[in-house]
Structure formats: structure tokens, C-alpha cells
Amino acid sequence: MSIAASLPVARAQRNLAPLCVAAASFLLLLVSGDSLLHDPDTLWQIKVGQWILDHHAVPWTDFYSLTRQGEVWLSTSWLSQVLFATTYSHWGWAGPVILTAAAIALAMGLLLAFLQRHLDLPYALVFCLLAMTLAAPHLLARPHVLALPVMVAWSGALMTAADRGRAPSFLLLPLMVLWANLHGGFVLGLALVGAIGLEALWCAAPARRPALMLRWAAFGVGALAASCCTPYGVDTLLGAARILSLGKSFSVIAEWRPADFSAFNPFAGALLGLLGLALTRSLTLSPPRVLLILGTTWMALAHVRSIETFGVIVPLVLAQPLSGWFRSVPDASRGLRMAPGAPGALAAVAIMLAAASASAAFAARHSFAFSATQTPVAAVDVLAERKAARIFNSYGFGGYLIVRDIRPFVDGRSELYGEKFLMDYFAAEDGRDVAGLLRMLDENKIDATLLTADSPAAQMLDHVAGWKRIYTDKIAVVHVRDNQAAASK
């Protein structure tokens, strides 16, 4: 009887722990909400979202840039852009901050719920904290964050099905529809169907494998079809593929660069910890699980933006094999204890109401502001006064120029510009190709430049005949053509 009575209590604890973690994460992120507004892409995401709302359509071509106007561009994150634009129009910067914080908090709560299927609460919390720490540099008000809880739910549900030796339920397919409309990262979800499906087949009895393989294959076909349930249809896959075809230009875009181990960082610590765990405990995994870990590790090593994927997928893959490793935590120290039934439900409601009221009170007293380093207001005011129309800009200023209805030379839509253009641009802007810089300025009939204060290109233009600096502050430098100097030359 005592064992039977303890089961509802443990279940209530498991139900409330993810909610408590989600509420705590949300409040923490809200208090530090300005840190979510440090990416220039947020600016043009909101601009595109507002265009979609105004025109009741999605863009098929570019109409923002100076150099790619009219070329094919599909907004594979259109739903996220609409959500950001809607919240911004109603609540200013508080809207995107709250929306982003809620998405991250939901992702952490879901991750804890999946991990608690196999691990006691303290160990599951360690993995959740690790995942949030690894993702921290990339937690920004951008579409990939709104898709983060969908990624956790999709990955966790697939691993749960594999752990139980079953095929996933077709009821999961609406998650793929949502993911494909939120962010182009849905291709990871499609890849996970095959990778996790191999784990289910590996662990199944030989007699069950043919039928199980057919069910996983049917689910994979359904997931592929679901990913095309967007305004772009099958072209959604082509739009996502363009992002992955940037080749060498990945090395010059900060979030796509390889991981840097010149100094110790959380990702390095996680890799060393994983290696140490395997060596000291003789960790044995099935080949498909090994491939999953190796695959996500390679992604994180190749591109820093994939480190958050590593932080989510690896704990989900390890949870079931690690369930027998750790000694169970004594009942007295398991943490939150709540009565089952109505008291537990009331506690959940109280947690949500407390988080909501605290959030409303903080948002009413705090004015969120976008990063000043990404918004060269004064410099653009100078350009607007001079009626400059063809501007060569630093990569990070493209989003702000779009918001100001000025066509940027380049912006964060890397897939629009392509590998060659980006490689030539960064070589010119970084000072590695002076001749290329001057050629770009002449061929594109540039009449002004808007560069960061520490840009090598800005320093070079100070010494180039035909150009003069007319404005400088801590954020940006403006150069314009000096026709008199060019004539005297």
C-alpha cells in the first residue's frame, strides 16, 4: 500500500518540476531581456513579418536589398516573422522579448519532462542546465528560438518511441507542419526520423523489424509531406537547401563558423565531460545512438550555431542508457512534493499565475531597448540628410537599413547573396582585398559607405582619393565620394 500511495506523489512531482523550471527560466530570461535583442537579423525579421501582415502574402523575391533586388528569395521563417511583428506592433520590444523568453522556457520544461522519464530530477536538471548554458550565446529574438520547443518535442517524442520499440504516432506530424513554417531548421527533424528510426530497428526483435521498418518509413514519408504544408509547398525544401549551400562563406559568418577551442568554453567542457564519462564508466551504446551523438557533435564542431542542437539531442540520446548508472536519489531529497489531484492542479495554476503577474509587473516598469551597436541611428540620419541611396554597409547594419527603408548592400539573408558574393564582400570589408573593395564601390555606383568604427575598410577609405569621412561615432563611420578630390586627381 505504501508503494502504491507513493506513485501518485512521484507523478505529481514529475508533472510540476518541468512547470517550475519553465517558470523560473522565463522569469530569468525576462529580467535579462535586453540580452535577447542583440542581433541585427531581428530587425529585418520584424520588417518582413509586417509586410506579410500588410499584404496577406509571403515574399517570393527580394525587394529590400540594393544588390539582389528581384531575385528569388523565400522566407522559410514566415510564421515566426509574423509572430514577432505582431507582438512588436502591440507591445514594442517587450513583445518579442516575452515571446522569445516563453519559447525558451517551454523548451526547457519539455526537455526536463522527457529526461525525467529515465533520470531522477537532480540529474535531469543538470542536463537541462547544460543545454541552456550551451545555447545561451544563440538565445536571441530570432525564428530559430521560436522553433526550439518544437525541436525538443519532436526529438523527445521520436526517442520515446524508439525507447519503447515502437514507431512514432502520426499525431506528431502537425509538429513538423509547425516547425516547417517557423524555421528552416525543420530539415534536422526529417533527418532525425531516419537516425532514430535505426535505433528502434536495432533494438527490436528480428521478427518485428520488417513491420516496424514499414511503420517508421511511412512516418518518414508523412513527415516529408508535412514539411511541405507551407505557403511555399515543395519549394520550402529548396529554400532550406539554399541555406546549406553557402560553402566557404560559412567560415566568415560568425554563427556559422567552426567551434573555437583556443580558450575554455562550455562546449569544450561538455565534450570533455562526455569523454570522461565514457572512459570512466565504460559507457556502451548501440551503434545508432553512437552515430546520433557523433553526428550532432560534428554539427556543433562545424558550426557554432549547432551547439544548441548538441545540448538538446545528446541528453535525449543518453537518458535511457544512463538510467541504470546513477544511484536513485532517496525519497527525502527528491525535491518538490505535492499532493496528487486537485491540490497539484491548483499548485500548477498558482505557479503560472505567479509567473504571469511577476512578468506583467516587470514589463510595465522596464523599457526594453534594442542593442545600440546594431542601430547606427545618428550615422543613418546623416545619410538620410544627404539623400544617399546607394550605400555600402557593414554586414551587421543591413537589418537596421531595411527598417529605415534604405536598401542595404548586404544583410543577414546569407542564402540570398550566395557564396561568391559573400566571400568577395567579406574580403573587401575586412581589408584583405583593397582592389576588390574599390571595384565593388565603382561597379555598384556606391555614393556612401556605412561601416563599423573598427572596420578595416573604413580605415582604408581615409587614404583613398575620391572618398572623405564626414561622420564618426563609437558605432559607425560614414564616407561619401569626394568629387573635388577625384577631379583634382
Side-chain angles (χ1 to χ4, degrees):
M1 290 180 62
S2 62
I3 294 175
S6 69
L7 291 178
V9 176
R11 189 177 299 112
Q13 176 192 344
R14 287 175 176 266
N15 290 339
L16 284 175
L19 181 59
C20 291
V21 166
S25 300
F26 177 76
L27 293 175
L28 175 64
L29 290 163
L30 188 65
V31 170
S32 58
D34 289 340
S35 65
L36 303 176
L37 302 175
H38 278 241
D39 193 295
D41 284 0
T42 303
L43 298 170
W44 66 259
Q45 301 279 4
I46 292 175
K47 186 75 171 181
V48 173
Q50 190 57 57
W51 186 93
I52 294 172
L53 290 172
D54 292 340
H55 294 80
H56 303 287
V58 293
W60 287 82
T61 58
D62 170 59
F63 39 77
Y64 287 121
S65 78
L66 174 67
T67 51
R68 288 294 185 267
Q69 187 176 2
E71 295 194 11
V72 174
W73 179 67
L74 310 183
S75 180
T76 53
S77 300
W78 74 271
L79 182 56
S80 295
Q81 292 158 352
V82 166
L83 293 174
F84 279 129
T86 302
T87 54
Y88 178 77
S89 65
H90 284 85
W91 301 293
W93 284 118
V97 166
I98 292 173
L99 182 63
T100 303
I104 299 169
L106 178 58
M108 291 301 103
L110 287 171
L111 181 59
L112 181 62
F114 282 115
L115 293 177
Q116 275 196 287
R117 291 180 54 253
H118 302 290
L119 303 174
D120 285 325
L121 179 58
Y123 305 119
L125 282 173
V126 169
F127 278 116
C128 278
L129 180 61
L130 176 63
M132 193 160 186
T133 302
L134 292 176
H138 206 214
L139 295 182
L140 301 161
R142 283 178 49 188
H144 72 274
V145 170
L146 299 191
L148 186 59
V150 182
M151 181 183 77
V152 174
W154 179 266
S155 306
L158 293 185
M159 283 305 309
T160 298
D163 290 340
R164 294 174 177 174
R166 303 174 183 172
S169 169
F170 281 84
L171 295 177
L172 288 176
L173 294 181
L175 278 178
M176 177 53 67
V177 176
L178 178 60
W179 196 351
N181 286 279
L182 285 172
H183 187 249
F186 70 91
V187 292
L188 171 66
L190 297 177
L192 287 176
V193 174
I196 297 177
L198 285 176
E199 165 65 13
L201 294 175
W202 182 273
C203 297
R208 293 186 61 243
R209 286 175 182 169
L212 188 61
M213 181 178 65
L214 289 176
R215 289 197 292 270
W216 272 91
F219 180 82
V221 172
L224 183 62
S227 70
C228 297
C229 294
T230 75
Y232 296 110
V234 177
D235 288 333
T236 303
L237 296 170
L238 301 178
R242 290 188 67 183
I243 300 175
L244 301 176
S245 62
L246 291 175
K248 294 180 180 178
S249 60
F250 281 142
S251 63
V252 294
I253 302 173
E255 63 180 330
W256 286 102
R257 288 174 181 166
D260 181 10
F261 294 107
S262 60
F264 187 81
N265 56 64
F267 180 48
L271 285 179
L272 292 175
L274 182 62
L275 180 60
L277 189 66
L279 293 175
T280 58
R281 291 295 195 95
S282 302
L283 179 61
T284 303
L285 302 175
S286 65
R289 287 185 191 262
V290 172
L291 289 176
L292 272 167
I293 293 177
L294 291 178
T296 52
T297 301
W298 176 83
M299 289 170 55
L301 291 171
H303 308 299
V304 293
R305 67 174 294 162
S306 296
I307 290 177
E308 66 192 52
T309 303
F310 173 91
V312 169
I313 301 298
V314 170
L316 290 173
V317 172
L318 290 177
Q320 191 269 345
L322 290 179
S323 60
W325 276 31
F326 299 123
R327 183 178 58 186
S328 296
V329 178
D331 288 351
S333 63
R334 285 201 173 191
L336 181 64
R337 290 288 192 176
M338 297 300 300
L346 289 175
V349 172
I351 292 170
M352 290 187 289
L353 289 177
S357 60
S359 303
F362 179 79
R365 290 172 172 80
H366 180 77
S367 179
F368 295 99
F370 200 83
S371 172
T373 59
Q374 309 293 345
T375 52
V377 179
V380 175
D381 287 343
V382 171
L383 291 169
E385 289 175 5
R386 296 182 64 93
K387 295 182 172 53
R390 305 184 69 82
I391 301 170
F392 181 90
N393 60 279
S394 287
Y395 187 79
F397 291 157
Y400 183 67
L401 288 176
I402 289 176
V403 169
R404 292 288 296 266
D405 294 320
I406 299 174
R407 299 187 186 282
F409 188 89
V410 67
D411 59 76
R413 297 171 296 164
S414 306
E415 71 280 9
L416 170 65
Y417 297 96
E419 178 183 0
K420 184 180 185 307
F421 179 94
L422 289 174
M423 292 300 292
D424 291 343
Y425 164 79
F426 279 109
E429 203 271 341
D430 291 345
R432 291 177 283 117
D433 185 3
V434 179
L437 171 63
L438 299 179
R439 184 173 59 253
M440 280 187 180
L441 298 178
D442 291 338
E443 290 179 353
N444 292 280
K445 299 179 181 179
I446 300 299
D447 50 38
T449 66
L450 175 68
L451 302 169
T452 57
D454 59 352
S455 169
Q459 310 304 319
M460 288 188 300
L461 287 177
D462 287 334
H463 306 285
V464 174
W467 290 91
K468 66 177 179 179
R469 181 183 296 218
I470 64 167
Y471 179 82
T472 305
D473 61 23
K474 294 181 179 179
I475 300 172
V477 175
V478 174
H479 286 81
V480 297
R481 286 192 182 273
D482 185 358
N483 295 326
Q484 292 181 352
S488 63
K489 182 181 177 180

